[in-house]
Amino acid sequence: MPQVAHDAQSGPELSPRDIAILDFEKTWWKSRVSKEQEIRERFDLSTPRYYLILNSLIDRPEALAHDPLLVKRLRRLREQRQRERSAHRLHKA
């Protein structure tokens, strides 16, 4: 019986753009231009839209399977920023 690329429980595979975004997150700091400019040039996306896509992407198991170290690092950074925002709001109240 032939094997399938993914089973019914896994989500759709990563698109070429998804993979490009993950790969970009590993190497953007090597760019000679700002990250925001590189995002516009490479992906034709606004910075906020790019981050919405990235945040959704790092929640997907396929992204974790593609690059576990990167996805775990990005998740940790996101969680840290969320904790800092929460602490700031509590301190203001």
Side-chain angles (χ1 to χ4, degrees), residues 37-85:
Q37 183 178 344
E38 190 75 23
I39 288 168
R40 281 190 304 275
E41 291 174 5
R42 276 196 197 199
F43 304 108
D44 193 29
L45 295 169
S46 68
T47 304
R49 180 73 181 137
Y50 172 84
Y51 283 110
L52 283 172
I53 293 168
L54 177 63
N55 274 304
S56 173
L57 183 57
I58 65 173
D59 288 331
R60 294 180 49 197
E62 300 85 10
L64 184 62
H66 175 76
D67 195 331
L69 291 176
L70 173 69
V71 171
K72 287 177 183 177
R73 180 174 60 83
L74 293 173
R75 286 177 179 177
R76 274 193 315 273
L77 290 170
R78 179 178 63 186
E79 290 166 6
Q80 179 183 0
R81 285 189 303 271
Q82 289 170 341
R83 281 192 305 273
E84 289 169 358
R85 280 193 301 271

Side-chain angles (χ1 to χ4, degrees), residues 2-3 7-8 10-12 19-21 23-25 27 33 35 40-41 43-44 48 61-62 69 83 89-90:
Q3 289 189 324
D7 61 30
S10 70
I19 293 169
I21 287 173
D23 291 345
F24 172 71
E25 278 298 312
T27 61
V33 297
K35 185 175 184 182
R40 281 190 304 275
E41 291 174 5
F43 304 108
D44 193 29
E62 300 85 10
L69 291 176
R83 281 192 305 273
R89 278 189 294 249
L90 287 173

